[in-house]
Amino acid sequence: MNNNYTIAPRVLIETYGCQMNVNDSEVVLAILSKSGYVLCKEVSLADLVLINTCAIRDNAEQRILGRLDFFRLEKKKHPSLVVGVIGCMAERLKEKLLEHPAVDLVAGPDAYRDLPRLLESIRATGSKQINTLLSHEETYGDISPVRMDAGGVSAYISIMRGCNNVCSYCVVPYTRGAERSRDCESILREAREVIDAGYKEIILLGQNVDSYKFGDVSFAKLLEMVARLSPSVRVRFATSHPKDMKDEVLLTMAAYPNICKHIHLPVQSGSNAMLEKMRRRHTREWYLDRVARIREIMPDCAITTDVITGFCGETETDFEDTLDLFRQVKFDAAFMFQYSERPGTLAQRHYPDDVPPEVKTARLEQVIALQGELSLESNRRDVGKTFEVLVEGFSKKSASDLMGRTSQNKACVFPAAGHKTGEYVTVLVKDCTPATLLCEVVE
Ligand code: SAH
Ligand code: SF4
Ligand code: F3S
């Protein structure tokens, strides 16, 4: 194939959205590498640009539409450039995206094996191509992702795809289809490969890792199998769902020092009325009970969350319940969003998006301010303690300082003193900001 190329065709992949998308881009690169493509980082040198997109909120999509306008101009300079939109926005908008003058190709998250054929058809016929079929089986289990950051410290491994939860605000079940768990043997094979390649941290990914099930292998069992591969390789995972998070997973985490003591447990709202409307299938009380159980089993475990402000019908009292839950739990960090209505979701079909934008924004700012205080409090509790950190690279602010993370996923900055990326270093926390622990190395 690609007979018209005298040298290998070059692909630029731009990734938006979550960790799952980052890992999918690595799967796409693996598939295209087999067809002879090489990765490039400069638009001016690329034969193919793939934009791996996110559809979670309207602003995510607006950003991508802006990028497409940029690539339209690039195509004027470079008419043979092929531009493809892949990922969640591709799946959501399907043919509509082909109407954009910059777009030659649209492929959804389960159609990546078809990319070489679609690209060949574009070359052969000059016509736009699309595949947005979702699958009940595809897990790309046999494909070893080609990592974009060769020589990096952390490697993502997807353990499942899709989501069966249908939270009423969320577009993911529509863009990624039904939940399916990947063959555990293929996960272990990939984990061994990344360990052999020198990665020091494995991050297991799924929209709802607690519902992983392959034969009789549960998520707790899988986590244990991965953790046992090498005691010097850290294991992290995301995302846990409060309704499914089991004690078995917590006990496994507690039993293995190399399983990081951090749980990302999205709560979305502190109000039972909102949780019900969101179809989260857990209550505030259930969530608080899960938090209590985490702290009972692992007193040093960090807990982080996601929250949405201004969901349909959210009253001041509902929002107060969210602030109150934040104060009660004292999250170590949080991702905070204002509600963005997504076409086709249950919420869009059944509930008016009736919280005025300025109220959504004001509430968002309020919860961000509160979390800023809680993050600072959480970091202050660490001052005077020592932690083992895994060095990820230089600090953004100073080339003589390194940045490494604690098991709890907190960023520590400290003088390099001869240490390098990928090493474990013991540090003493001297001071902090809301986002960073300022440390020195303990010899
Ligand atoms: N599977 C994970 C994360 C999904 S998306 C989970 O169940 O939590 C990441 C976060 O985006 C969600 O946790 C939620 O807080 C936010 N989100 C999802 N849909 C949204 C919407 N329509 N508007 C605003 N935020 C949204
Ligand atoms: Fe979306 Fe809910 Fe699935 Fe998370 S669990 S991806 S929020 S539907
Ligand atoms: Fe991820 Fe965005 Fe899709 S958050 S699953 S890339 S809609």
Side-chain angles (χ1 to χ4, degrees):
M1 63 153 298
N2 294 325
N3 295 329
N4 297 349
Y5 287 112
T6 49
I7 51 168
R10 285 171 289 222
V11 57
L12 173 86
I13 309 182
E14 266 190 23
T15 308
Y16 298 86
C18 61
Q19 297 163 314
M20 192 74 83
N21 255 18
V22 173
N23 190 230
D24 277 5
S25 288
E26 297 172 334
V27 167
V28 166
L29 184 57
I31 291 167
L32 292 180
S33 300
K34 280 215 178 97
S35 310
Y37 280 82
V38 293
L39 186 65
C40 91
K41 308 233 156 147
E42 295 241 3
V43 189
S44 60
L45 299 175
D47 301 293
L48 168 65
V49 171
L50 292 177
I51 311 168
N52 194 0
T53 60
C54 176
I56 201 85
R57 284 169 288 276
D58 185 58
N59 58 8
E61 292 199 350
Q62 294 307 324
R63 196 163 156 216
I64 287 153
L65 292 173
R67 281 309 277 165
L68 287 178
D69 290 336
F70 167 80
F71 286 117
R72 186 156 71 114
L73 298 176
E74 284 300 308
K75 284 177 79 152
K76 291 213 168 107
K77 290 187 239 165
H78 179 173
S80 64
L81 180 66
V82 172
V83 175
V85 181
I86 63 175
C88 290
M89 190 178 168
E91 189 63 47
R92 193 180 84 73
L93 292 174
K94 300 187 170 62
E95 280 82 5
K96 273 190 223 134
L97 271 173
L98 287 180
E99 290 165 17
H100 193 288
V103 179
D104 302 296
L105 165 76
V106 172
D110 287 344
Y112 298 150
R113 283 182 205 268
D114 198 26
L115 282 171
R117 186 191 67 81
L118 295 166
L119 290 165
E120 198 42 46
S121 299
I122 293 171
R123 290 176 51 76
T125 66
S127 62
K128 299 187 180 207
Q129 298 291 323
I130 180 165
N131 183 344
T132 52
L133 285 176
L134 286 173
S135 156
H136 284 277
E137 289 89 34
E138 183 62 274
T139 60
Y140 302 108
D142 57 314
I143 294 174
S144 298
V146 174
R147 313 281 161 190
M148 306 269 172
D149 64 335
V153 172
S154 301
Y156 292 129
I157 300 185
S158 293
I159 63 165
M160 58 211 295
R161 297 184 72 82
C163 184
N164 277 356
N165 280 321
V166 206
C167 301
S168 65
Y169 52 82
C170 185
V171 78
V172 172
Y174 306 92
T175 64
R176 288 187 166 264
E179 179 185 289
R180 64 223 96 126
S181 293
R182 177 176 171 188
D183 177 347
C184 63
E185 275 311 316
S186 82
I187 296 170
L188 293 172
R189 176 200 36 81
E190 192 177 325
R192 283 188 209 100
E193 283 172 10
V194 303
I195 293 171
D196 290 347
Y199 286 89
K200 289 289 175 341
E201 182 172 81
I202 288 172
I203 307 179
L204 303 175
L205 297 179
Q207 294 299 344
N208 179 2
V209 291
D210 300 287
S211 65
Y212 177 87
K213 191 100 193 110
F214 192 84
D216 56 4
V217 180
S218 64
F219 178 59
K221 186 78 197 132
L222 176 73
L223 191 58
E224 176 167 42
M225 290 194 290
V226 176
R228 289 174 80 114
L229 292 176
S230 167
S232 65
V233 171
R234 283 180 169 183
V235 185
R236 297 186 184 276
F237 58 86
T239 303
S240 305
H241 196 302
K243 81 176 162 62
D244 297 317
M245 196 193 66
K246 298 183 185 58
D247 286 5
E248 196 195 355
V249 171
L250 304 179
L251 295 168
T252 305
M253 289 175 76
Y256 290 88
N258 62 326
I259 303 182
C260 289
K261 303 300 177 275
H262 170 215
I263 298 187
H264 185 60
L265 196 65
V267 66
Q268 315 301 358
S269 171
S271 146
N272 278 335
M274 288 296 106
L275 289 170
E276 169 91 40
K277 252 183 166 175
M278 288 173 162
R279 282 181 112 246
R280 286 291 285 178
R281 302 203 195 115
H282 63 82
T283 58
R284 171 191 177 95
E285 293 71 27
W286 174 270
Y287 186 89
L288 291 172
D289 175 72
R290 294 285 74 204
V291 168
R293 198 73 183 114
I294 295 170
R295 296 207 165 129
E296 195 181 317
I297 295 175
M298 292 173 290
D300 63 340
C301 189
I303 304 177
T304 59
T305 201
D306 292 347
V307 71
I308 298 175
T309 66
F311 184 61
C312 311
E314 187 187 67
T315 62
E316 208 47 56
T317 316
D318 291 318
F319 177 61
E320 280 299 327
D321 285 347
T322 296
L323 294 177
D324 180 73
L325 181 131
F326 268 59
R327 285 190 204 100
Q328 231 177 301
V329 177
K330 298 186 167 54
F331 292 111
D332 296 283
F335 294 111
M336 295 158 278
F337 313 101
Q338 46 182 309
Y339 175 56
S340 167
E341 187 178 72
R342 307 313 290 132
T345 56
L346 286 176
Q348 184 263 325
R349 285 182 278 139
H350 296 294
Y351 311 122
D353 179 13
D354 53 3
V355 176
E358 59 280 10
V359 175
K360 286 181 182 171
T361 308
R363 288 179 185 168
L364 178 62
E365 282 167 3
Q366 234 181 309
V367 71
I368 288 174
L370 171 59
Q371 184 54 46
E373 290 168 27
L374 296 175
S375 298
L376 185 60
E377 272 178 39
S378 160
N379 284 353
R380 283 203 181 124
R381 286 194 291 273
D382 289 339
V383 174
K385 294 187 192 160
T386 56
F387 292 93
E388 183 180 66
V389 302
L390 173 60
V391 181
E392 291 186 5
F394 284 101
S395 140
K396 279 191 207 115
K397 293 203 180 121
S398 154
S400 58
D401 287 347
L402 291 173
M403 193 284 278
R405 280 179 197 278
T406 65
S407 171
Q408 290 74 10
N409 207 34
K410 289 192 183 177
C412 294
V413 171
F414 50 94
H419 292 287
K420 289 197 269 321
T421 300
E423 276 179 27
Y424 288 102
V425 177
T426 303
V427 298
L428 170 67
V429 184
K430 304 290 287 182
D431 198 359
C432 66
T433 70
T436 314
L437 300 178
L438 309 170
C439 308
E440 63 185 33
V441 176
V442 179
E443 297 306 334

